[in-house]
Amino acid sequence: MNRKTLVLPAVVGLLAPVLAACGGSDDGGDAIVVGTTDQFIASKDNPAPLDPAIGYEAGVWNLLRQTVQTLTHIPRGGGEPVPEAAKSCAFTDTENESYRCTLRDGLTFADGTPVTPEDVKYSIQRVLDIKDESGPVGLFANIDTIETKGDHEVVFHLRTSDATFPYKLATPPAGIVQKDKYPGKTAREGFQVDGSGPYTMKPEVKDNQIVKVVFTRNPKYKGDLKINNEKVELDLFPDAEAMGKALDDKKIDMMTRNMSPEQAQKMLVEPEEGVKLTEMPGLAISYLAFNTEDPVVKDKAVRQAMARIIDRGAIASKVYGSTAEPLYSLIPSGITSHTNSFFNKYGEPSVAKAAETLEKAGIDTPVKFTLHYTTDHYGPATKAEFEALAKQLNESKLFEVDVQGTPWDKYRPAQKKGDYAVYGMGWFPDFPDPDTYIAPFLDENNFLNSPYQSTEAQKTLIPQSRREADRSAAAPAFEKLQDIVANDVPVLPVWQGKQYVASLDDLTGVEWAVNSSADLQLWELGRGESS
């Protein structure tokens, strides 16, 4: 996720009057109130942040998955996708190139309009037709044709084998939308989201940004999910400190993204009465990325030298404490096929070896560039992380690095245009499979709009990995892909996150409400005894 980013996330920085509105409306009633520091802003560059064909970041997806319904979904506790809007789905050939789904009987949108196979086809085709340059179109680029049969069946014919396709149909861009509310060739502007999912939603907007979202149980919902509440209010806060104070004051029941490392550490050491801290596995990663056509970093020796210098362990421990651990591959630990490819190639940090790499390539030192990061998208510790990265590089005397932070609504467009030679990003997985950590960075229509290309990755290894229905059998291809990334360094992984969620004692379902992919599943929350 910007998903689709690190999909975890969106833009922070609400004005004081906006903060005052949090928790102050009667719209929430006796709703369960959840806090977040994700922000959602409509701008000239992004007038349709919540359109399923446009939004590709974790914060946006966490709104969409409450409201739009997908054919499949990842079951509680993980595993292979199971039917959701569909009553059955399966590949119909041995090559994994034809995927058939049969819709549930009586399926309707929240306004009572029947959901048909044509609606499914329309919804996914519009993602392909709109083809937003920073959107999720790459997830469905392998679709050749979409066929509908009768009142219930839809068949996806793929250009090449893709055993991950059922996972892709479980993502919010595959959400089923109505033709009269979502134009086929253009985005739906604004913040309203409509669908056939577990909730209807009502956004509260001020100054072109969401202040609050009230999710109300959809009485017409028919699907695989069990809804444990009638209403959930998502309150947006400008930072983790304000969100934490709201929990202390019992104005919210739960705080999710993004708790600060300091908050998590304090709760671990000094538990608060009436508050529980839930630790969960985390699959979010943080990495540096490069415009490989920029003269400063075009020679991969420069990027390799950075890989030799950066001390990931120091960054994780000093900046993030117990909430992160060093990462030596795009594929994090906990995902099948993970290898420590960067450590295997570069070993422990070494300025001497970095100097040797630059000298052999004839690179004059110090190499000068600006290290860019976004100020309001990945949590409160981002500034400290990038200052620490710059310090490590500068102390080597091989680099002369400045640091510059930019709000996400300006940062992402500039990054896509190639304005930054070196920049920081985060990634939340689209689905729990190694493909989602490789294809968005190395395949065509990649998420970063990167000029880097690997013919072996695009033409051989990625297609080879997708032919394997048994995902463990794809491990050799993914191991080679990780080695390619370590050698060419189009991106440089830094750390892998852990997840902590703080909530009031009487809230149930917290352990299921945020999964390892950072997907927010509000229907799991309740009060009283857990289901």
Side-chain angles (χ1 to χ4, degrees):
M1 169 237 211
N2 147 305
R3 215 199 70 63
K4 297 174 87 356
T5 112
L6 272 74
V7 161
L8 225 141
V11 185
V12 179
L14 300 184
L15 302 175
V18 176
L19 176 59
C22 290
S25 169
D26 292 334
D27 289 343
D30 57 355
I32 293 171
V33 185
V34 175
T36 181
T37 57
D38 284 335
Q39 304 297 311
F40 310 95
I41 299 174
S43 65
K44 181 179 179 181
D45 290 325
N46 187 20
L50 300 189
D51 189 314
I54 305 295
Y56 196 16
E57 53 189 62
V60 170
W61 280 20
N62 280 338
L63 295 190
L64 292 175
R65 62 173 41 92
Q66 317 308 320
T67 311
V68 298
Q69 192 176 17
T70 50
L71 290 171
T72 64
H73 78 105
I74 306 299
R76 176 196 272 193
E80 295 182 0
V82 297
E84 214 293 72
K87 63 181 179 182
S88 65
C89 286
F91 281 107
T92 59
D93 65 329
T94 59
E95 298 298 318
N96 295 332
E97 292 181 352
S98 183
Y99 194 72
R100 181 190 304 267
C101 289
T102 303
L103 295 180
R104 294 179 185 271
D105 296 330
L107 202 65
T108 70
F109 291 105
D111 65 3
T113 304
V115 175
T116 69
E118 286 296 329
D119 293 315
V120 176
K121 177 179 179 179
Y122 176 84
S123 301
I124 294 179
Q125 186 62 51
R126 70 185 295 272
V127 178
L128 295 169
D129 290 342
I130 291 173
K131 200 176 182 179
D132 185 78
E133 64 177 6
S134 61
V137 63
L139 288 171
F140 306 123
N142 192 33
I143 294 176
D144 186 18
T145 59
I146 306 173
E147 178 185 7
T148 60
K149 294 184 176 183
D151 295 333
H152 290 85
E153 288 191 354
V154 57
V155 183
F156 300 91
H157 299 286
L158 308 181
R159 293 186 175 90
T160 60
S161 301
D162 187 2
T164 70
F165 190 69
Y167 291 92
K168 294 171 182 175
L169 288 182
T171 63
I176 308 167
V177 299
Q178 293 171 267
K179 294 180 181 179
D180 62 343
K181 295 180 179 178
Y182 288 84
K185 306 291 185 181
T186 58
R188 180 184 184 178
E189 297 187 1
F191 297 106
Q192 186 58 46
V193 180
D194 296 281
S196 56
Y199 297 99
T200 60
M201 65 94 81
K202 181 181 179 182
E204 185 175 316
V205 179
K206 184 173 183 178
D207 297 330
N208 293 319
Q209 57 189 359
I210 292 181
V211 178
K212 173 190 304 182
V213 183
V214 176
F215 293 102
T216 303
R217 183 172 183 164
N218 175 12
K220 293 184 170 60
Y221 169 73
K222 291 185 178 181
D224 190 54
L225 304 175
K226 180 181 178 182
I227 318 303
N228 292 316
N229 56 68
E230 294 298 320
K231 186 179 291 186
V232 179
E233 177 182 304
L234 189 69
D235 282 7
L236 279 65
F237 293 90
D239 51 47
E241 182 179 357
M243 181 170 60
K245 186 177 187 304
L247 185 71
D248 290 340
D249 295 341
K250 294 183 170 51
K251 292 182 178 180
I252 62 174
D253 299 288
M254 171 175 154
M255 54 192 285
T256 57
R257 297 168 20 119
N258 282 311
M259 288 180 61
S260 71
E262 292 79 12
Q263 286 174 322
Q265 187 64 32
K266 182 179 179 181
M267 290 184 184
L268 285 169
V269 176
E270 303 174 15
E272 298 181 30
E273 184 177 353
V275 174
K276 59 184 177 183
L277 185 68
T278 304
E279 179 180 353
M280 308 169 199
L283 297 177
I285 68 172
S286 178
Y287 60 95
L288 297 180
F290 304 91
N291 175 359
T292 54
E293 288 186 347
D294 189 286
V296 176
V297 294
K298 186 173 185 177
D299 192 318
K300 70 179 179 182
V302 175
R303 310 192 300 267
Q304 290 175 333
M306 292 177 64
R308 290 195 180 279
I309 291 172
I310 289 174
D311 187 340
R312 296 166 175 81
I315 297 293
S317 63
K318 293 179 181 178
V319 178
Y320 292 96
S322 61
T323 65
E325 57 189 13
L327 179 64
Y328 297 93
S329 170
L330 269 181
I331 300 176
S333 61
I335 292 288
T336 303
S337 306
H338 163 78
T339 67
N340 290 314
S341 54
F342 273 80
F343 189 86
N344 295 340
K345 182 172 180 63
Y346 301 107
E348 296 289 350
S350 171
V351 173
K353 290 181 179 179
E356 183 180 350
T357 298
L358 293 171
E359 184 179 355
K360 284 184 177 179
I363 305 295
D364 293 333
T365 58
V367 179
K368 299 179 181 181
F369 63 83
T370 298
L371 181 57
H372 294 268
Y373 72 96
T374 179
T375 57
D376 52 10
H377 197 65
Y378 297 123
T382 307
K383 180 180 180 182
E385 175 188 349
F386 281 81
E387 289 175 345
L389 285 167
K391 183 179 179 182
Q392 288 182 1
L393 292 168
N394 288 335
E395 287 180 346
S396 75
K397 306 300 183 182
L398 300 174
F399 291 89
E400 189 174 312
V401 179
D402 294 323
V403 179
Q404 182 174 326
T406 304
W408 180 254
D409 61 338
K410 294 181 174 60
Y411 183 84
R412 176 65 167 143
Q415 176 267 308
K416 287 187 299 181
K417 288 189 295 184
D419 291 349
Y420 304 149
V422 188
Y423 55 94
M425 295 288 281
W427 184 252
F428 291 86
D430 296 338
F431 46 87
D433 185 273
D435 182 271
T436 195
Y437 291 96
I438 294 294
F441 303 100
L442 302 186
D443 211 353
E444 297 178 25
N445 300 311
N446 68 78
F447 164 73
L448 295 174
N449 197 30
S450 170
Y452 170 79
Q453 288 191 342
S454 166
T455 301
E456 183 181 9
Q458 289 184 358
K459 303 302 182 184
T460 303
L461 294 173
I462 291 175
Q464 178 182 325
S465 73
R466 289 174 173 169
R467 285 193 290 268
E468 302 292 351
D470 177 359
R471 301 308 290 150
S472 62
F478 284 118
E479 289 169 5
K480 291 180 182 178
L481 285 160
Q482 290 170 89
D483 288 343
I484 288 173
V485 173
N487 183 69
D488 293 350
V489 200
V491 296
L492 201 169
V494 180
W495 56 262
Q496 172 179 349
K498 298 179 183 178
Q499 292 189 101
Y500 293 92
V501 175
S503 61
L504 300 184
D505 277 344
D506 66 341
L507 196 64
T508 62
V510 174
E511 68 273 22
W512 303 112
V514 182
N515 67 17
S516 61
S517 298
D519 299 340
L520 189 60
Q521 301 173 145
L522 296 178
W523 54 85
E524 295 283 3
L525 296 175
R527 299 192 192 279
E529 293 186 7
S530 301
S531 60

